[in-house]
């Protein structure tokens, strides 16, 4: 049975509460914007593509209660809704890109009345939802070509079904390779502080009967030195036009280690994760999250009271450390500035 | 007030139970060998130099109950005690080196009777205890020369007072620099899976009023890329005669990252952490510990049941990635094969 990370169900957004996995499988039903905003903020729904879909659905939540035909009032509500959703998390560009797609519906239909706009926006949100499913499978197909029999792969965080509508980016590559009958194994970095690798990626991969081994993030280097890693796949939260890529903290570490050990390092991300408006990764805002994520676990303090904490949720991997970027259109290779423009510009 | 990690108190070994820190400060009193062996195994006492002292004291525990004057029976008990203690943990060579020092007492006094041997062994164990205090302070003095005002230092695991009798190796460098009135700050890698960095190093450094910031291990690379790390100090569990160094898992990661970013990387370790009998790090046995250390946190599962885990407690950093090794005799620099022999051989 497929994992349905996010779904529009009779006027509500149903999401799997990922903060509870792997111990509990529970849905959250978001009937209002605030509930959704909080769910995004605390990572009940996370992963750049899934956040993008959540934002599109969030617009529907925001406008569905609007009564009447006053278009100015409707547009006021619509733009406020978009603006509010945009404040939930700063790094993954899919959020902003999908809100822009929703705004484009309004911009491209200047003469539509409130009723028509509501219908068009609903249609657009469903198209965004559907496109994510399609795009993930296409990335999976392209990426699976890189996976050979007996390969030992490595990934960090969760770039799987739980990070998208239902299939995944980096993990989608593994799912496609598995479907093709390839034998390979995967090391999953646990991904501190919130352990998306341990909690979510291992859960997904075991479900798909993929040979999976969990490691702490600080063990990846040692594995590489022992010749136990043949290829690395990670997702992305934002890719600049020069190929610099923001992704979960620890990704840059893996890229440097991969370079040192001569291991190919691939990003797997859809067009919606690219930010062609910025020239390099230096312009990507990096979310810093609260110190309790590092100092506490399951309510238990693991550090002395009062210690300072640095807790960036993402890092930026320079393009020069990236072997290729797997997209729904194919694999983009250096030089990135030219080839990104060529393939998706 | 100094931290007294391990002490011989009226026929018992008193250790701080480091599994409880920073939430509780409790002593364990070991009256018998089995209690000590378990305390070493589960890391209630840990850190290569502290384990070495624990082993020497452990020999006293093992022999103190011996009654009578039958030397053969005494020697049988003595060697069995040494052999049993040697099975507690495999990587830190201090354990074996200190047991050898105890065995040497017996070997060098072939004509001593049981009573004399007991006295000589007691004297030796106390000398090992005292030497650790002295040696740490000398390492601190040598290492402190490397710490300049405004430097941002980084360390992993706990190579502090809690890893030695009472002062530390890598953290001893910071304590000496602080005494000299230098201003600097320290990033402490939390050190998964058992969080010795978060729990123990932060606790020690805050106690000494050293400016300390806790990070997850996977954040070190990002910090380095931002120019936030000027120098790295770590301890060691075993150093081969060519300078290859086994230390807490994650150390090799830091050394590769340091190389990539042009950051000096220092090991701080006493002579008792060297294993001149082996030519390279390939010969160092690496302890693998149980998977629950990774899959559970404060009793709560953080990974799906049944996932495979790779949990090596140490990694080996090749000598070529090490800028220098701070010892009680001074700082050893490359070429290591020659200079290690020259300084401590």
């Amino acid at each position: 049975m497929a994992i349905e990370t996010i779904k529009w169900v009779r006027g509500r957004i149903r999401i799997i509460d990922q903060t509870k996995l792997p111990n509990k499988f529970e849905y959250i039903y978001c009937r209002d914007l605030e509930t959704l905003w909080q769910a995004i903020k605390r990572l009940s729904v996370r992963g750049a593509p899934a956040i993008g879909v959540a934002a599109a659905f969030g617009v529907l939540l925001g406008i569905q209660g609007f009564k009447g035909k006053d278009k100015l009032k409707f547009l006021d509500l619509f733009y406020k809704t978009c603006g509010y959703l945009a404040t939930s998390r700063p790094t993954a560009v899919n959020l902003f890109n999908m809100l822009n797609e929703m705004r484009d519906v309004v911009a491209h239909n200047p003469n539509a009345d409130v009723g028509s706009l509501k219908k068009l926006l609903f249609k657009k949100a469903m198209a965004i939802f559907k496109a994510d499913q399609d795009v993930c499978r296409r990335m999976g197909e392209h990426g699976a070509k890189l996976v050979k029999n007996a390969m030992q792969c490595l990934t960090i965080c969760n770039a799987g079904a739980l990070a998208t509508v239902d299939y995944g980016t980096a993990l989608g590559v593994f799912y496609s390779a598995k479907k093709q009958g390839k034998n390979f194994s995967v090391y999953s970095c646990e991904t501190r502080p919130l352990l998306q690798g341990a909690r979510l990626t291992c859960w997904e991969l075991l479900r798909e009967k993929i040979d999976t081994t969990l490691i702490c993030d600080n063990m990846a280097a040692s594995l590489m030195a022992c010749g136990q890693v043949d290829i690395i796949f990670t997702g992305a939260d934002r890719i600049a036009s020069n190929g610099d890529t923001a992704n979960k903290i620890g990704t840059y570490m893996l890229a440097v280690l991969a370079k040192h050990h001569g291991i190919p390092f691939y990003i797997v991300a859809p067009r919606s994760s690219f930010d062609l408006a910025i020239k390099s990764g230096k312009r990507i805002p990096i979310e810093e999250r609260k110190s309790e994520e590092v100092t506490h676990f399951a309510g238990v303090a693991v550090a002395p009271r009062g210690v300072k904490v640095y807790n960036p949720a993402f890092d930026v991997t320079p393009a020069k450390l990236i072997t290729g970027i797997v997209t729904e259109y194919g694999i983009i290779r250096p030089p990135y500035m030219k080839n990104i423009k060529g393939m998706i510009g």
Side-chain angles (χ1 to χ4, degrees), chain A:
Chain A
M1 198 189 72
I3 294 166
E4 296 184 311
T5 301
I6 180 163
K7 204 172 179 181
W8 181 261
V9 182
R10 293 186 300 275
R12 301 169 306 174
I13 304 172
R14 190 191 71 189
I15 58 174
I16 298 172
D17 185 355
Q18 301 190 30
T19 65
K20 304 276 176 66
L21 287 172
N23 297 318
K24 283 185 192 167
F25 185 97
E26 281 177 12
Y27 291 118
I28 295 175
Y29 289 86
C30 305
R31 291 157 216 269
D32 58 84
L33 261 191
E34 176 64 17
T35 306
L36 176 67
W37 192 94
Q38 291 291 350
I40 296 173
K41 188 74 187 173
R42 70 165 180 271
L43 315 195
S44 288
V45 60
R46 29 73 43 208
I51 295 175
V53 174
F57 284 167
V59 171
L60 303 187
L61 273 192
I63 61 167
Q64 70 180 350
F66 185 83
K67 306 287 183 201
K69 297 182 175 179
D70 186 330
K71 189 162 167 185
L72 278 181
K73 278 191 182 161
F74 176 78
L75 290 182
D76 184 54
L77 177 66
F78 169 77
Y79 287 117
K80 273 187 185 155
T81 298
C82 292
Y84 177 63
L85 287 165
T87 62
S88 58
R89 295 193 71 194
T91 303
V93 77
N94 311 58
L95 174 69
F96 310 103
N97 283 342
M98 293 307 107
L99 290 173
N100 282 341
E101 290 210 13
M102 297 298 273
R103 288 192 191 97
D104 283 349
V105 169
V106 172
H108 294 158
N109 294 281
N111 301 320
D113 61 17
V114 170
S116 305
L117 279 179
K118 277 181 151 186
K119 278 180 199 153
L120 287 167
L121 287 166
F122 183 83
K123 213 171 139 187
K124 183 69 184 174
M126 292 309 143
I128 286 169
F129 171 81
K130 188 73 195 57
D132 186 80
Q133 299 180 292
D134 176 48
V135 151
C136 282
R137 279 151 187 85
R138 284 160 63 194
M139 284 187 287
E141 292 292 312
H142 291 299
K145 292 172 198 153
L146 300 167
V147 180
K148 314 291 181 200
N149 270 322
M151 262 194 174
Q152 300 184 92
C153 311
L154 185 143
T155 189
I156 188 166
C157 197
N158 174 270
L162 291 165
T164 58
V165 167
D166 69 353
Y167 195 75
T169 57
L171 300 194
V173 169
F174 301 143
Y175 298 149
S176 294
K178 176 86 178 175
K179 263 190 219 158
Q180 293 168 7
K182 288 174 182 165
N183 280 313
F184 57 93
S185 57
V186 178
Y187 286 105
S188 171
C189 291
E190 64 174 2
T191 319
R192 282 284 289 155
L194 295 177
L195 301 169
Q196 292 92 336
R199 296 189 300 106
L200 309 178
T201 293
C202 290
W203 182 77
E204 277 197 33
L205 293 177
L206 288 191
R207 234 171 149 270
E208 298 295 328
K209 304 199 188 327
I210 289 171
D211 182 353
T212 305
T213 303
L214 173 63
I215 60 168
C216 297
D217 306 323
N218 63 15
M219 296 165 187
S222 186
L223 266 188
M224 293 184 203
C226 299
Q228 304 279 303
V229 179
D230 300 307
I231 193 166
I232 301 171
F233 293 100
T234 84
D237 287 84
R238 190 185 300 215
I239 305 174
S241 56
N242 72 341
D244 290 355
T245 297
N247 190 45
K248 176 56 54 193
I249 188 76
T251 303
Y252 170 62
M253 165 195 83
L254 292 179
V256 172
L257 296 172
K259 177 87 172 178
H260 183 82
H261 296 91
I263 297 166
F265 178 87
Y266 287 92
I267 298 291
V268 188
R271 191 183 192 289
S272 59
S273 295
F274 285 78
D275 184 353
L276 300 183
I278 59 173
K279 283 190 181 149
S280 85
K282 285 184 190 135
R283 298 277 308 282
I284 303 177
I286 299 297
E287 177 182 9
E288 276 194 50
R289 295 180 60 87
K290 59 183 183 175
S291 57
E292 285 74 13
E293 290 184 351
V294 178
T295 57
H296 285 68
F297 193 87
V300 178
V302 294
R305 198 188 304 245
V307 69
K308 286 191 289 185
V309 174
Y310 176 57
N311 182 22
F314 305 94
D315 57 27
V316 175
T317 300
K320 66 179 178 201
L321 296 177
I322 299 170
T323 311
I325 305 174
V326 180
T327 73
E328 64 268 43
Y329 305 108
I331 303 173
I332 307 176
R333 295 188 182 272
Y336 287 113
M337 190 75 83
K338 175 168 162 272
N339 292 343
I340 286 174
K341 206 173 177 184
M343 199 173 285
I344 66 162

